[in-house]
């Protein structure tokens, strides 16, 4: 039956990535629509009282309530799982809902978590402030150093959590080395893969257990909706994640799921083109900035590792100017590139992390993770790179660089 071919893993597992991105997860309704339908429904109706009783008893398959199942979100979950190479996936309302659920679902009072130092601001608030309020002890390590992870392990360590490349300093974590340390000790590794996406990096292939996403970023890729996703084994998703999310309800709306489904169809094209353009723009900036933090350039201390783990460098990098005054002068002189703290958009966007994305992190933590007052982060979009370089050239000159 072609109607549900996109949801049959005995068929879809044989598809190559480009086919998965377009067809994976598609389940057609009785109308035979070509583009996936948006099922904006909170509930479901049944032909009989026996039928609904059987569904609630787990004896019959079928949907019962959109906090538990929805056809549009299920299509997205299947497509992301196929792109990731994971058995299962659940989508969430935001990336932070995905990170929170991926950690809270498996950690209890008295457990210990080891997390990477360079991270998205809200991820640091989650590990440093929120989880400790519930009795979860956290150790923050320099994630670039595998030995630091091994040294931080305690008898009650249950999970490792990190992103690579990390926001905004572009630290790269050796996936194989860190996942091996966790595996050998029965620790679950959760990787925030927002920057690379499954198009460029699949952490499960390097030994990670769980991959979590802000699908707000490259997966939608056009700055339209907030969304998140968590991928893992079927058993982990069912016994750990769903035991938490079914009752706490961080669900993605079916409308947003549909928008991300459309985004995934072009994810590979966009991220490869944006990666090429990020290299072109990065090479230009290298001669003018005080310091470049760009995993695609040989000047990055972990360039070789980044290129071993990733198929391309991604759309985002950071660079440093003298101080906050010079960073603000540069931002204010931009005419094409927007001042915006978002990333993963088809538009080029620049932000000053210390006063925006990382403003809620303590000044000490910012200094430790390398978020200096002169640091700027650039998301390179799909505009013509010559126009981006002209805009930067003018803004750099206006800022005295
Ligand atoms: C944006 C982002 C998040 C949070 O995602 P939201 O969709 O904004 O909630 C988490 N991790 C990383 C690396 C991000 O870039």
């Amino acid at each position: 039956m072609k109607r549900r071919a996109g949801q049959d893993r005995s068929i879809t597992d044989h598809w190559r990535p480009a086919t998965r991105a377009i067809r994976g997860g598609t389940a057609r309704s009785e109308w035979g629509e070509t583009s996936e339908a948006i099922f904006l429904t909170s509930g479901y109706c049944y032909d009989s009282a026996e039928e609904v009783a059987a569904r609630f008893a787990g004896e019959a398959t079928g949907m019962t309530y959109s906090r538990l199942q929805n056809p549009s979100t299920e299509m997205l979950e299947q497509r992301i799982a196929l792109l990731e190479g994971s058995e299962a996936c659940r989508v969430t309302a935001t990336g932070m809902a995905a990170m929170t659920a991926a950690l809270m679902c498996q950690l209890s009072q008295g457990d210990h978590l080891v997390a990477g130092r360079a991270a998205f601001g809200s991820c640091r608030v989650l590990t440093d402030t929120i989880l400790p309020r519930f009795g979860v002890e956290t150790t923050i390590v320099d994630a670039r150093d595998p030995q630091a992870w091994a040294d931080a392990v305690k008898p009650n360590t249950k999970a490792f959590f990190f992103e690579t490349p990390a926001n905004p300093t572009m630290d790269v974590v050796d996936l194989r080395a860190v996942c091996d340390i966790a595996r050998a000790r029965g620790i679950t590794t959760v990787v925030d893969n927002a920057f690379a996406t499954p198009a460029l990096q699949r952490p499960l292939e390097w030994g990670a257990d769980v991959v979590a996403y802000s699908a707000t970023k490259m997966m939608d890729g056009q700055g339209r909706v907030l969304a998140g996703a968590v991928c893992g084994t079927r058993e982990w998703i069912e016994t750990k994640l769903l035991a938490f999310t079914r009752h706490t309800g961080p669900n993605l709306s079916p409308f947003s799921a549909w928008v991300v489904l459309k985004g995934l169809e072009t994810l590979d094209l966009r991220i490869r083109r944006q990666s090429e353009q990020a290299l072109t723009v990065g090479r230009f900036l290298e001669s003018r900035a005080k310091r470049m933090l760009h995993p695609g350039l040989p000047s990055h201390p972990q360039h070789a590792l980044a290129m071993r783990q990733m198929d391309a460098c991604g759309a985002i990098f950071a660079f440093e100017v003298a101080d906050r005054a010079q960073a603000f002068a540069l931002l204010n002189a931009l005419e094409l590139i927007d001042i915006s703290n978002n990333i993963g958009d088809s538009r080029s966007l620049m932000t000053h992390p210390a006063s925006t994305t990382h403003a809620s992190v303590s000044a000490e933590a910012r200094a430790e993770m390398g978020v200096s007052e002169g640091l700027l982060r650039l998301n390179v979009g799909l505009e013509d790179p010559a126009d981006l370089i002209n805009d930067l050239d003018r803004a750099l000159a206006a800022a005295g660089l």
Side-chain angles (χ1 to χ4, degrees):
M1 271 288 283
K2 266 192 154 158
R3 203 194 262 181
R4 297 188 73 83
Q7 298 210 331
D8 182 343
R9 292 289 290 251
S10 72
I11 296 171
T12 57
D13 280 354
H14 296 291
W15 288 348
R16 291 166 183 80
T19 310
R20 294 177 177 197
I22 306 288
R23 301 259 180 186
T26 299
R28 295 199 168 109
S29 78
E30 66 200 279
W31 305 107
E33 63 282 352
T34 44
S35 172
E36 295 78 5
I38 309 175
F39 289 91
L40 283 173
T41 183
S42 47
Y44 302 89
C45 307
Y46 316 92
D47 287 339
S48 69
E50 287 78 9
E51 172 62 20
V52 57
R55 287 192 197 178
F56 271 84
E59 291 155 5
T61 56
M63 306 203 168
T64 54
Y65 188 57
S66 280
R67 175 154 39 76
L68 311 178
Q69 315 94 1
N70 175 277
S72 299
T73 58
E74 199 177 279
M75 286 190 256
L76 177 60
E77 288 166 349
Q78 302 237 1
R79 188 167 294 172
I80 294 174
L82 278 171
L83 293 175
E84 194 63 44
S86 67
E87 286 177 11
C89 168
R90 280 295 176 278
V91 291
T92 55
T94 64
M96 284 320 301
M99 305 307 153
T100 304
L103 294 176
M104 294 275 273
C105 78
Q106 58 172 322
L107 295 170
S108 299
Q109 184 177 21
D111 288 344
H112 177 238
L113 167 74
V114 186
R117 189 167 74 187
F120 185 67
S122 294
C123 291
R124 282 297 302 265
V125 176
L126 177 62
T127 56
D128 297 12
T129 310
I130 298 174
L131 287 170
R133 277 181 43 218
F134 295 89
V136 175
E137 190 196 350
T138 306
T139 302
I140 301 295
V141 296
D142 179 347
R144 293 168 296 185
D145 175 14
Q147 191 57 42
W149 292 90
D151 292 346
V153 171
K154 300 182 183 194
N156 57 341
T157 305
K158 290 285 160 55
F160 281 1
F161 177 50
F162 61 86
E163 52 192 78
T164 182
N167 190 355
T169 53
M170 308 310 292
D171 284 4
V172 176
V173 182
D174 186 331
L175 281 163
R176 169 66 72 206
V178 174
C179 294
D180 278 355
I181 291 165
R183 276 280 159 98
R185 294 160 179 79
I187 295 165
T188 301
T189 303
V190 179
V191 179
D192 177 345
N193 200 33
F195 272 39
T197 81
L200 299 186
Q201 174 174 272
R202 289 158 303 281
L204 300 179
E205 292 173 1
W206 300 97
D209 300 296
V210 177
V211 184
Y213 283 102
S214 169
T216 312
K217 310 296 167 56
M218 286 305 303
M219 284 192 179
D220 166 33
Q222 287 141 91
R224 302 169 293 193
V225 295
L226 297 175
V230 185
C231 301
T233 62
R234 185 166 307 287
E235 199 212 342
W236 188 87
I237 294 283
E238 279 171 12
T239 61
K240 300 282 187 189
L241 189 77
L242 286 178
F244 181 80
T245 57
R246 284 169 73 93
H247 307 291
T248 50
N251 295 60
L252 182 65
S253 91
F255 176 76
S256 298
W258 181 83
V259 173
V260 180
L261 272 168
K262 297 299 104 185
L264 289 178
E265 294 179 9
T266 55
L267 171 64
D268 194 77
L269 288 174
R270 285 184 285 105
I271 200 161
R272 284 177 198 274
R273 179 68 169 266
Q274 287 180 241
S275 295
E276 272 173 36
Q277 307 208 148
L279 268 183
T280 307
V281 173
R283 286 194 196 103
F284 163 76
L285 271 173
E286 186 142 53
S287 59
R288 304 274 285 273
K290 195 174 129 201
R291 192 160 73 105
M292 287 300 286
L293 304 161
H294 192 317
L297 293 177
S299 58
H300 190 288
Q302 296 168 291
H303 172 64
L305 171 65
M307 293 302 101
R308 193 155 70 236
Q309 296 180 167
M310 300 166 73
D311 296 344
C313 66
I316 303 147
F317 64 86
F319 63 99
E320 225 169 21
V321 297
D323 51 22
R324 179 180 287 223
Q326 194 165 51
F328 278 25
L330 196 162
L331 282 165
N332 291 334
L334 293 168
E335 288 176 359
L336 169 61
I337 299 169
D338 290 308
I339 303 174
S340 173
N341 47 285
N342 197 15
I343 49 170
D345 198 300
S346 52
R347 288 160 195 77
S348 293
L349 310 172
M350 200 190 288
T351 198
H352 178 251
S355 61
T356 59
T357 53
H358 289 68
S360 56
V361 175
S362 72
E364 301 95 278
R366 273 206 302 274
E368 247 178 36
M369 69 168 100
V371 178
S372 68
E373 287 294 319
L375 190 75
L376 288 163
R377 186 190 67 193
L378 176 59
N379 172 79
V380 178
L382 290 169
E383 304 95 336
D384 190 311
D387 290 331
L388 297 174
I389 287 171
N390 283 342
D391 196 34
L392 285 165
D393 190 29
R394 190 173 42 235
L396 286 160
L401 280 154

